[in-house]
Amino acid sequence: MIELSYSGTFETVLTDEKKAALQEIHANLINKQGQGSEFLGWLDWPSSVSPEFLRRIQNAAESIQQKAEVLVVIGIGGSYLGAKAALSSLSPYFDQGDKKPEVLFAGHHVSGEYLKQLLSYLDGKEVMVNVISKSGKTTEPALAFRFLKKYMDERYGDAAAERIIVTTDAEKGALVNLAIENGYERFVVPEDVGGRYSVFTAVGLLPIAAAGFSIEQLMAGAKDAEAAYKDFDAENNAALRYAAARHHLYSEGYTTEVMAIFEPKLSYIQEWWKQLFGESEGKEGKGIFPASVSFTTDLHSMGQYIQDGTRNLFESFLLVRESNDDLTVFEAENDGDELNYLAGITLQEFNHVAYKGTSAAHLEGGVPQLTLTIEKMDEFHLGHLFYFYMIACAYSAYLLDINPFDQPGVEDYKNNIFKLLKKPGY
Ligand code: PA5
């Protein structure tokens, strides 16, 4: 469960008017109505996903684990960030030595230096590729796959087909045709689930399972969240309350939300969250700008701005109560570094004190705050958290009268690039 607190009072936020608006939004969501409702497949996906589907993913993951030392996952945006966030936040910081396969990403930018060095890194290792693109035509992953496909064909010949798995639309796009022509194993991205809401489909589940994490637990967490946020309960529904508070702050002129963490491995959850909220809400001249900081690191850089800069920021802390590992500060004989006053406290406890001190200072500086706490970082709690943010994002966008599920603005830059590169038809 998510524990949510707010530096103001929820009574001020949840006015009768706001509650009525949220009630209507909630009813529309549950009845799958409203703007963009054709993309609400993610809403009851956790409770409707079949055990056979999960078994199929698990079988593919086990086959990857047997055959590959390195799995290259190709994708961008929603076809990249969910898996990346899960892998970063669930994995230990340093390689444990026996981890197989190593999961590497490609196609999430266009660095020739990165791709060339990745291809050299693969030499001498057993490789598999999972290329993910719902539309099947996004330039960055398509380009990366062009290079990876050639590499795999040259290295494995006909056997390359057994080492490439495609996750894409059932029918549309160049990728599905490539998959059929070459006989690659295929997973389908459901029509009614958009990229940034797709972490619980094969898009996220296959790389997460291949990396050795429990997709059963991840989905159990998502299902738990689906049940928790199904009822309109303005007193207890944390997703609804989070959306209501951020909408209230936005209307008071707080146009930037800074998500702050104290555990660096959560930084890709921040990236995933930034995409989710930025791409869902930032339309029609409206929306909160999602930004992120990692404390205490950024207290030595961005902390100054947060404390004293332009007053349009609010913070949302994401805290994890239990850490997976910890150290206790010990008493040093001569106290040369003058840290003996800390003896006996764990670094996690230190971070908690840092949160309290930072939160008080920033509040004093005029930065309102929301704090979300989860019990621990494991598959179950992560599944719950992903779902929490997705439904909170839908509430938030609808409160601004925005369709959360389209992204008309991302086409403009693409069209310019295509024109500059003289792509046929542009
Ligand atoms: O959320 C979205 O829809 C986007 O961020 C897409 O995920 C991203 O553009 C990648 O698209 P595709 O999966 O079609 O390659």
Side-chain angles (χ1 to χ4, degrees):
M1 283 295 270
I2 309 259
E3 232 178 80
L4 175 71
S5 64
Y6 171 47
S7 58
T9 62
F10 277 108
E11 285 70 40
T12 329
V13 167
L14 282 159
T15 56
D16 287 348
E17 202 187 335
K18 184 74 62 57
K19 272 193 202 159
L22 280 165
Q23 195 148 23
E24 194 183 325
I25 291 169
H26 184 83
N28 276 343
L29 274 174
I30 299 299
N31 298 320
K32 297 209 173 173
Q33 287 166 351
Q35 294 187 73
S37 57
E38 66 278 23
F39 290 110
L40 278 173
W42 57 272
L43 195 70
D44 50 8
W45 179 263
S47 63
S48 52
V49 76
S50 70
E52 293 72 41
F53 170 74
L54 292 183
R55 180 93 310 266
R56 198 186 147 214
I57 299 261
Q58 197 56 48
N59 288 343
E62 280 161 22
S63 153
I64 293 170
Q65 286 161 354
Q66 278 154 19
K67 287 199 281 203
E69 290 165 282
V70 177
L71 170 68
V72 181
V73 177
I74 302 176
I76 196 166
S79 292
Y80 156 63
L81 282 165
K84 177 71 184 172
L87 265 52
S88 306
S89 54
L90 296 171
S91 300
Y93 279 104
F94 300 99
D95 189 8
Q96 301 294 289
D98 54 356
K99 205 159 157 273
K100 198 179 147 232
E102 182 182 7
V103 179
L104 300 174
F105 291 88
H108 53 302
H109 50 57
V110 194
S111 163
E113 187 172 335
Y114 179 96
L115 200 54
K116 179 135 193 242
Q117 291 177 11
L118 171 66
L119 292 171
S120 318
Y121 180 76
L122 298 181
D123 277 340
K125 301 182 180 74
E126 292 301 337
V127 182
M128 282 192 71
V129 172
N130 178 203
V131 52
I132 310 170
S133 174
K134 183 178 180 188
S135 63
K137 58 176 193 182
T138 306
T139 311
E140 294 90 333
L143 254 178
F145 186 53
R146 177 176 278 217
F147 287 100
L148 259 307
K149 181 180 178 317
K150 179 166 179 278
Y151 176 88
M152 296 296 280
D153 286 343
E154 284 171 3
R155 249 192 86 177
Y156 293 104
D158 288 346
E162 288 146 36
R163 290 180 168 267
I164 296 175
I165 303 177
V166 167
T167 307
T168 191
D169 185 82
E171 291 163 12
K172 291 190 293 265
L175 196 53
V176 72
N177 299 330
L178 268 178
I180 294 167
E181 268 165 37
N182 290 281
Y184 302 145
E185 178 166 15
R186 260 194 303 151
F187 285 92
V188 169
V189 188
E191 175 96 59
D192 56 358
V193 181
R196 55 193 177 276
Y197 295 83
S198 68
V199 62
F200 297 125
T201 70
V203 170
L205 293 186
L206 182 56
I208 294 170
F213 297 108
S214 167
I215 53 169
E216 227 174 81
Q217 278 303 303
L218 188 87
M219 292 311 293
K223 202 169 160 185
D224 182 62
E226 185 190 324
Y229 308 122
K230 212 181 181 90
D231 293 328
F232 182 83
D233 176 356
E235 301 316 309
N236 295 302
N237 183 327
L240 207 139
R241 287 163 84 79
Y242 173 59
R246 49 197 309 287
H247 184 256
H248 170 77
L249 290 166
Y250 180 67
S251 63
E252 301 267 293
Y254 296 100
T255 53
T256 297
E257 175 174 7
V258 185
M259 191 206 278
I261 55 168
F262 283 85
E263 190 63 61
K265 68 203 271 190
L266 307 188
S267 66
Y268 273 94
I269 294 183
Q270 294 177 307
E271 295 308 309
W272 173 85
W273 168 86
K274 286 197 287 199
Q275 186 208 354
L276 180 68
F277 279 80
E279 214 172 9
S280 298
E281 255 190 347
K283 290 163 207 167
E284 301 173 28
K286 296 187 256 187
I288 295 171
F289 184 82
S292 60
V293 286
S294 178
F295 291 158
T296 61
T297 311
D298 290 332
L299 287 174
H300 300 264
S301 55
M302 298 308 289
Q304 171 59 40
Y305 189 102
I306 297 173
Q307 186 72 44
D308 270 346
T310 311
R311 299 297 71 188
N312 65 341
L313 310 177
F314 67 97
E315 259 170 328
S316 64
F317 291 97
L318 174 61
L319 306 181
V320 182
R321 202 182 306 283
E322 267 176 41
S323 72
N324 293 329
D325 247 333
D326 210 349
L327 284 170
T328 303
V329 181
F330 55 90
E331 186 108 19
E333 229 171 72
N334 56 13
D335 198 20
D337 52 13
E338 298 172 10
L339 288 176
N340 272 355
Y341 76 99
L342 292 175
I345 78 158
T346 66
L347 298 189
Q348 169 80 349
E349 285 162 355
F350 180 94
N351 258 337
H352 194 66
V353 174
Y355 154 68
K356 281 189 166 159
T358 305
S359 149
H362 291 177
L363 199 57
E364 183 79 5
V367 182
Q369 286 154 19
L370 286 149
T371 300
L372 278 79
T373 308
I374 59 169
E375 207 44 45
K376 57 208 274 212
M377 182 42 71
D378 59 11
E379 291 93 328
F380 183 88
H381 290 85
L382 182 62
H384 188 114
L385 187 69
F386 276 144
Y387 190 93
F388 164 87
Y389 278 129
M390 292 198 283
I391 192 157
C393 182
Y395 286 131
S396 296
Y398 281 135
L399 278 170
L400 293 173
D401 201 17
I402 294 284
N403 176 354
F405 308 117
D406 63 359
Q407 52 283 328
V410 301
E411 296 310 313
D412 298 354
Y413 87 92
K414 288 188 196 166
N415 290 336
N416 285 346
I417 295 179
F418 293 152
K419 271 186 225 154
L420 289 166
L421 291 169
K422 301 193 172 31
K423 181 173 174 171
Y426 286 81

